[in-house]
Amino acid sequence: MTILSVSDSCMSALLFDTETTGTAQPQVIEAAWLRLSDPAFLLVNEEFEQRYRPDEANTLGALATHHIYDEELQDCPSHTEFKLPADTQYIIGHNVDYDWGVAGHPSVKRICTLALARHLIPGLDSYSQSALIYHIDRPHARERLRNAHSALADVRNCLSLLQHLLGLTQNIHNWEQLWQLSEHARIPTILRFGKHKGMAIADVPQDYKNWLLRQPDLDPYLLKALKL
């Protein structure tokens, strides 16, 4: 674990990522964050990385993603010891809801770089973080992605993506403003599943919208889009 230049007293956000045992009831095996100053400067005030010992073995799919063997985790702290800092107010990440869930659904505001990228860079064929690194820094992307899916490498790459996205916006001076933009960006305009996949939500037939609205556990952002 490394901690650099801790500054807990300043208003800041955590750029956060995890590696886990798999997608079904995931347990954290590696967590990393960068504590950032403000959107104008994005100074890194703290750097954190730690591995954890899960109660369950990694799935093959998880191993193929992060390449962390179970036996490498035997002497690490239990995954139950992982917590975000108590003063955390914002977390930033690519598809941030997944890592927020792994962290136990803490009461923080989530800023999603995946949603921001779809909103600010329309028309790409892929919005994975690795694909976006190729988009914003093609000459160096292959070298930068050699350690992709190491949590610390991922947050560093996400920082570069965040810098690029902020360069495409105006009047973002604090994390609250960026969170508000992220919340707006997370409201979908295109349906991404079902028989009307790819259709603008505004053009989806009303009877299908009504059917969607009756479904349990509907994504809250899709709910907002359907009600617009």
Side-chain angles (χ1 to χ4, degrees):
M1 178 176 66
T2 56
I3 303 251
L4 303 175
S5 304
V6 178
S7 180
D8 289 337
S9 60
C10 66
M11 180 64 137
S12 61
L14 297 184
L15 207 165
F16 173 55
D17 186 66
T18 63
E19 303 299 336
T20 68
T21 52
T23 56
Q25 298 182 325
Q27 296 178 359
V28 62
I29 63 165
E30 187 173 74
W33 68 67
L34 304 177
R35 186 187 293 270
L36 304 177
S37 57
D38 60 78
F41 296 101
L42 293 180
L43 298 177
V44 178
N45 293 325
E46 178 184 354
E47 182 179 282
F48 172 94
E49 183 181 42
Q50 176 68 59
R51 285 186 172 182
Y52 297 89
R53 182 185 71 256
D55 296 332
E56 301 176 359
N58 285 299
T59 64
L60 290 176
L63 282 170
T65 299
H66 53 59
H67 310 293
I68 300 172
Y69 287 108
D70 301 276
E71 49 268 34
E72 295 177 313
L73 304 170
Q74 293 306 306
D75 296 327
C76 297
S78 169
H79 71 100
T80 59
E81 295 184 27
F82 171 73
K83 290 178 182 171
L84 289 173
D87 64 343
T88 304
Q89 293 179 304
Y90 302 88
I91 59 171
I92 307 164
H94 208 68
N95 194 22
V96 69
D97 286 351
Y98 178 80
D99 302 290
W100 172 70
V102 172
H105 304 90
S107 181
V108 297
K109 292 182 176 180
R110 292 158 278 155
I111 297 171
C112 184
T113 56
L114 173 58
L116 288 169
R118 284 175 171 157
H119 179 67
L120 296 170
I121 318 174
L124 301 184
D125 64 277
S126 174
Y127 287 90
S128 72
Q129 183 167 288
S130 294
L132 287 163
I133 294 299
Y134 272 103
H135 176 71
I136 69 174
D137 190 14
R138 188 180 182 90
H140 306 105
R142 184 161 58 183
E143 181 62 31
R144 292 179 60 172
L145 293 170
R146 289 190 188 279
N147 292 317
H149 301 299
S150 151
L152 187 57
D154 280 352
V155 292
R156 288 171 175 165
N157 282 328
C158 195
L159 177 59
S160 295
L161 174 59
L162 180 62
Q163 290 170 327
H164 181 82
L165 294 172
L166 284 168
L168 302 175
T169 64
Q170 296 179 346
N171 300 319
I172 300 296
H173 304 297
N174 55 55
W175 297 121
E176 184 69 13
Q177 291 173 336
L178 186 59
W179 172 73
Q180 290 172 356
L181 179 60
S182 172
E183 287 292 285
H184 172 72
R186 293 178 72 166
I187 300 173
T189 58
I190 302 294
L191 199 60
R192 298 195 178 101
F193 62 87
K195 66 179 183 179
H196 297 296
K197 180 179 179 181
M199 182 181 289
I201 291 176
D203 298 330
V204 171
Q206 189 60 48
D207 61 340
Y208 192 73
K209 288 184 180 179
N210 292 339
W211 177 82
L212 283 173
L213 288 168
R214 292 194 297 270
Q215 303 312 301
D217 302 321
L218 189 69
D219 178 86
Y221 296 98
L222 177 56
L223 179 63
K224 289 182 180 179
L226 292 170
K227 290 183 174 181
L228 289 177

